Amino acid sequence: MPTSSYFTILSNSCLVLLFQAFFISIAASSDRHTPENHIRTRAGAPFKVALFADLHFGENAWTDWGPKQDVNSIKVMSSVLDTETPDFVVYLGDVVTANNIPIANASLYWDQAISPTRSRGIPWASVFGNHDDAPFEWPMEWFAASGIPQLVCPVLNSECSFRGTSRLELMKNEMDNNVLSLSKSGPQDLWPGISNYVLQVLSKEKPHTPLVYLYFLDSGGGTYPEVISTAQADWFKHISEEINPDSRVPELIFWHIPSKAYKKVAPKFRIHKPCVGSINKEKVAAQEAEMGIMKILVKRPSVKAVFVGHNHGLDWCCPYGQLWLCFARHTGYGGYGNWARGSRILEINERPFSISSWIRMEDGSVHSEVILS
């Protein structure tokens, strides 16, 4: 194999497995029974969450176009954060486009993506999407006369590599280096899914009483199939029945790739009631299989809504039984599509209890307001 002074090519699959096994042994795991992490509401104020979906940092980093998209994505997030001043942020997957990142540590781009939230002192949590650990895809133009570009490693002395950065490495870097991150690597027996955990939002007025539970699930993709496994579904059923046995506390669910149930409720052509939204420009790109999670969710009256990203041209919410299936809004300038960027906002009021949502656009406008509970 020809060598280059610009790259250290680590493509041996066994090496990748060794790295993953190493990080499994040292990564912090979520407790299977008790949500250790929590967020507190502000006294007398609703609890507000901003969803940032499909940022796709690091895309085409060797071109002039790529880095500009990351700058534009930071502007979108900054606009939303300064306008809405949320209490919490959810990074809803595809934070980076790993199949475009030829460096050893994609956390360099992940760190850029979370910087607007971190710099404002806002806590956050993240789940993985199908691009976050996707294997590097060699651009065909690199094999033309112009050759492989020299501008690959973004910082001095950083290692160039094509082995990619595993989910475990990405999560460990986020957790270890950010005190505001409430993300968790999840139970080891749910591997290769990583971002499986639950957080509780606690009332300021009743400090020992959960206001709502937030569940995060890894919907796969990238280095393994796009699916929420039976093991994950069983984990959700077990932990939800353990911490919320009477379904008294409302529950919200976050993952990246929509389940097949989204196809069943998807509007035909225009968005019409009871669905609420502004763009319906593509078909639902669902997970590869349904392994039981939706059957469990529809049987729990406490589950109020599921939130996903993945489809950049969809931003609707539609009812599915007693719960809502919602898309976020494409936030990043990376990824496909030229639709205007924005963020889905959630607002949870304690007295009387309600969950409402709307979409805040980059230009400050608001649309698609809906009451979810």
Side-chain angles (χ1 to χ4, degrees):
M1 178 188 297
T3 59
S4 167
S5 60
Y6 304 113
F7 305 104
T8 300
I9 299 177
L10 301 175
S11 58
N12 188 297
S13 59
C14 292
L15 184 59
V16 174
L17 292 174
L18 286 173
F19 269 97
Q20 290 179 339
F22 171 73
F23 279 98
I24 284 176
S25 67
I26 63 174
S29 296
S30 298
D31 187 283
R32 290 185 62 86
H33 305 292
T34 304
E36 298 173 356
N37 291 357
H38 61 265
I39 320 120
R40 291 197 181 276
T41 64
R42 290 175 289 124
F47 183 76
K48 190 183 290 187
V49 182
L51 308 186
F52 292 150
D54 298 277
L55 293 167
H56 288 280
F57 269 66
E59 195 159 291
N60 289 12
W62 55 86
T63 68
D64 292 335
W65 176 88
K68 290 179 181 177
Q69 307 317 302
D70 295 346
V71 171
N72 289 335
S73 297
I74 288 176
K75 290 179 180 178
V76 177
M77 290 185 283
S78 298
S79 173
V80 170
L81 293 172
D82 291 341
T83 303
E84 291 286 354
T85 61
D87 302 286
F88 191 62
V89 169
V90 173
Y91 285 87
L92 204 53
D94 282 2
V95 176
V96 298
T97 303
N99 45 297
N100 269 184
I101 299 178
I103 63 171
N105 190 0
S107 292
L108 294 168
Y109 290 103
W110 194 282
D111 191 61
Q112 291 177 31
I114 62 178
S115 63
T117 302
R118 182 182 55 213
S119 67
R120 288 164 174 78
I122 302 170
W124 74 87
S126 58
V127 292
F128 287 114
N130 53 300
H131 282 280
D132 290 316
D133 73 340
F136 182 75
E137 297 176 3
W138 288 79
M140 190 57 63
E141 60 266 26
W142 284 14
F143 300 92
S146 57
I148 298 176
Q150 298 183 18
L151 214 170
V152 175
C153 295
V155 294
L156 187 65
N157 297 327
S158 70
E159 180 189 3
C160 296
S161 171
F162 297 94
R163 70 171 178 84
T165 308
S166 74
R167 276 168 155 81
L168 281 164
E169 292 172 273
L170 289 168
M171 185 61 81
K172 185 177 187 301
N173 284 329
E174 181 188 316
M175 293 165 57
D176 288 353
N177 298 313
N178 296 284
V179 296
L180 291 171
S181 170
L182 298 184
S183 302
K184 302 181 84 172
S185 56
Q188 293 182 9
D189 53 1
L190 298 183
W191 186 85
I194 300 301
S195 51
N196 303 290
Y197 56 100
V198 57
L199 304 176
Q200 55 184 339
V201 179
L202 298 178
S203 168
K204 185 73 173 180
E205 299 175 0
K206 299 178 180 179
H208 301 294
T209 303
L211 176 63
V212 64
Y213 287 112
L214 310 178
Y215 292 86
F216 302 84
L217 290 164
D218 192 334
S219 56
T223 54
Y224 73 97
E226 297 177 352
V227 66
I228 292 177
S229 68
T230 300
Q232 288 170 284
D234 290 344
W235 169 83
F236 171 82
K237 185 176 187 296
H238 174 80
I239 196 170
S240 60
E241 291 176 350
E242 174 108 2
I243 65 177
N244 195 18
D246 55 2
S247 293
R248 182 183 56 84
V249 180
E251 299 166 325
L252 300 177
I253 319 295
F254 303 89
W255 66 64
H256 180 70
I257 303 174
S259 67
K260 289 183 178 295
Y262 275 74
K263 286 187 170 185
K264 297 178 181 178
V265 301
K268 311 296 184 186
F269 309 111
R270 295 182 62 184
I271 299 173
H272 50 79
K273 292 183 178 180
C275 298
V276 179
S278 70
I279 54 173
N280 187 39
K281 301 296 185 181
E282 57 180 329
K283 293 182 179 180
V284 173
Q287 296 169 32
E288 296 174 43
E290 171 58 54
M291 298 294 183
I293 186 64
M294 291 308 303
K295 290 182 179 179
I296 294 172
L297 295 182
V298 297
K299 291 180 180 178
R300 283 189 66 79
S302 48
V303 175
K304 304 304 180 183
V306 179
F307 301 94
V308 303
H310 195 56
N311 279 99
H312 301 181
L314 303 174
D315 72 352
W316 44 259
C317 285
C318 289
Y320 182 69
Q322 89 286 354
L323 60 85
W324 287 81
L325 301 181
C326 294
F327 281 95
R329 179 78 185 206
H330 184 199
T331 306
Y333 271 79
Y336 70 90
N338 293 316
W339 304 288
R341 271 62 173 183
S343 169
R344 178 168 292 283
I345 306 297
L346 311 179
E347 185 175 84
I348 304 170
N349 284 277
E350 185 171 2
R351 295 182 182 176
F353 183 85
S354 66
I355 303 173
S356 56
S357 181
W358 60 87
I359 293 174
R360 173 71 67 175
M361 301 302 293
E362 179 182 11
D363 64 6
S365 62
V366 171
H367 61 80
S368 303
E369 299 176 70
V370 59
I371 303 299
L372 301 175
S373 177

